[in-house]
Amino acid sequence: MGKLDDIRQRLTAGNSPKQLIDEGYAKSSVFNEAKKLRTTKTGLPDLPVSDELQELRQKRDMIKLQKEIAELEATKEKLPERLTALENKVAKLESIVNNAVDTALLICLEEAGWDREEAREYADGWVGKNIKG
């Protein structure tokens, strides 16, 4: 049986980590095995934690949650601005795409032998007339 097995067995039998450390076992090994036993629920009682430490942990968790809530609220407040910016970008992109399609159609019609003026008249606003409705 190895040292880690011995530590695990003695912790399970009820020895405290402090007792094992005082007997000469490596502190890190004792605490690692104690942690494993607590997480696997093998019967080792949780190491006692002072009320002050529990309160500090709760405060830390509360502060962390409050910070996350504040970040979410700040993001929520910016949503109308972000929506307006996106709508503006969409309108600009729509105009660019419409112009690109109209221009491409004009070029295709000219290459197909259409008169330049007839092609321009047909292609100008083609997207608006035929795709948008």
Side-chain angles (χ1 to χ4, degrees):
M1 177 165 49
K3 285 187 179 184
L4 295 179
D5 291 330
D6 189 34
I7 292 170
R8 191 176 311 112
Q9 186 178 34
R10 294 188 65 192
L11 287 169
T12 305
N15 292 82
S16 72
K18 185 178 180 339
Q19 288 173 327
L20 296 177
I21 293 167
D22 289 345
E23 291 177 20
Y25 289 99
K27 189 176 183 179
S28 61
S29 297
V30 171
F31 283 114
N32 283 334
E33 289 304 310
K35 182 178 179 181
K36 287 179 191 175
L37 288 171
R38 276 196 312 277
T39 58
T40 59
K41 308 283 187 210
T42 59
L44 178 69
D46 285 338
L47 298 176
V49 177
S50 71
D51 291 340
E52 183 179 352
L53 182 58
Q54 284 180 327
E55 188 176 327
L56 287 172
R57 286 178 178 164
Q58 287 175 343
K59 285 182 181 180
R60 179 195 64 200
D61 292 343
M62 181 86 81
I63 290 169
K64 183 180 173 185
L65 290 172
Q66 287 172 338
K67 182 180 176 184
E68 289 177 16
I69 290 170
E71 289 172 358
L72 289 172
E73 289 294 328
T75 302
K76 185 175 90 175
E77 290 173 5
K78 293 179 182 178
L79 285 177
E81 296 169 11
R82 293 174 66 191
L83 179 60
T84 302
L86 285 172
E87 287 172 340
N88 291 338
K89 284 182 182 180
V90 166
K92 288 178 185 176
L93 290 173
E94 181 180 20
S95 174
I96 290 169
V97 169
N98 289 347
N99 289 336
V101 171
D102 289 348
T103 302
L105 181 59
L106 173 65
I107 292 169
C108 288
L109 292 174
E110 286 178 342
E111 288 179 359
W114 284 43
D115 176 65
R116 181 165 180 78
E117 288 305 314
E118 287 177 350
R120 180 174 300 281
E121 187 178 316
Y122 182 81
D124 191 34
W126 185 87
V127 172
K129 293 178 222 168
N130 296 288
I131 294 179
K132 288 184 178 179

